Amino acid sequence: MSSNAEITGPVSQEDIEAAEKLKNEANEFFKKQNYNRAIELYTKAIEKNSKNAVFFANRSIANLRLENFGYALSDASKAIELDRAYTKAYYRRAAAHMSLGKYKLALKDFEYVTKVRPNDQDAKLKFSECNKIVKKIAFEKAISVDKKEVNIADSINLDAMTIEDEYEGPALEDGKVTLKFVTELMEFYKQQKRLHKKYAYKILIDVKAYLQKQPSLIDIKVPDDEKFTVCGDIHGQFYDLMNIFQLNGLPSEKNPYLFNGDFVDRGSFSVECIFTLFSFKLLFPNHFYMSRGNHETRDMNHMYGFQGEVTSKYTAHMADLFTEVYNWLPLAHCINNRVLVMHGGLFSKDDVTLDDIRKVERNKQPPEDGIMCELLWSDPQPMMGRAPSKRGVGCQFGPDVTNNFLQRNGLDYVIRSHEVKNDGYEVAHDGKCITVFSAPNYCDTMGNLGAFITMTGKDLTPKFTTYEAVPHPDIKPMAYANSFFSLLCQ
């Protein structure tokens, strides 16, 4: 959230004191992880006194916590403009740049601090760590250009992997996922045990082979009298995923599901979530669907924990294979030609059709603009028209944009996820844009409910089921996240 309030003349002592009081109140809400309320109060403080860099820097970190990277970036830049010597503002801006995958710009901020404060050991350390990341990425890019033809899935030799006698976990039957396997797998994971790497690799190879044959937009047919369930972000919250199946039944041919992206990152049971979901995908390929989210991408996985978790529980090689598999996840699903489901939202252009989505070449990391990017990153707004994204990627779209898109494509409404909602869901744009978010008490801090949507094929009227978070083992969210990034966000 950014304020346009600019104070051109001197600020009265009364306003300075009122602003300071609002900032202190905001800080208390920030400590309680109520970032939305904190942002509201920082904004009020800025309206009283827009010449204090601290207010902008504090609002920047609150926006970072809500993944509003675009707002975080502009607030940090404003704080720097007001106080060139304010080190913390450079760190905030660097964190926003890193969240957007702009590591070289982050490095520039650290470099500036080391120049103006040559004796600041903390700044030197952060510059050095960021420099390592920039060099590592440049090195990886150089290798990937050299080895462009290398296909990780094809290079894996499953026959060379032996199942040790002491392994007592679930086993594939003739190399195939069965209901017995996936049922045992979920129980195995509840006991915090690990699937054998041979079976893990086999699932990934098989899922990739299946997804490669699918279009970027999947058409789903739900019979009149049958139920269909749409779930939003899961974010590595395995025990809450198990609760969804407890409340709504296991996936089956009679109980189909669509999981709408962001299966991993932040929550520290992402490996368990993704192998459970991929197992159901292989077991019921025509009754279990998965959309790509903005967190099924290399940069987000690097920052927010999934890469670290896979490397810790398996290998860095497997983390690279996941990136290869995620590139093939579909970008959107259309239910009975009437309801479009995507992770993020709609588009910066008016003339996009379902056929345009079908034609998207998706086997890549998302670009910074265009249809693929906006499907993964965009958000609705209550105002008419469009606005730049609070996230710094994608766009914000109003009810008129939604209405025009639906009319052009003969659709009733859209379902998307991507945003935490207190009730687990939100109905916006006159009922035509629905958000569903299925990770309750997100990151163990947000206090939100989770939700899923059920409907029948006949009328496709959305019904909402909400639920609270369930207990999980004492492993904190972001336990595997990039430690350098966590330091920046303190």
Side-chain angles (χ1 to χ4, degrees), residues 7-11 46 48-56 82:
I7 297 167
T8 48
V11 186
I46 289 165
K48 293 280 183 192
N49 178 11
S50 65
K51 295 184 176 179
N52 189 321
V54 174
F55 302 164
F56 286 97
L82 289 166

Side-chain angles (χ1 to χ4, degrees), residues 65-85:
R65 294 285 166 86
L66 291 176
E67 298 185 20
N68 297 337
F69 307 131
Y71 285 176
L73 188 62
S74 61
D75 275 344
S77 294
K78 182 65 182 174
I80 289 165
E81 185 188 312
L82 289 166
D83 184 354
R84 292 273 171 200

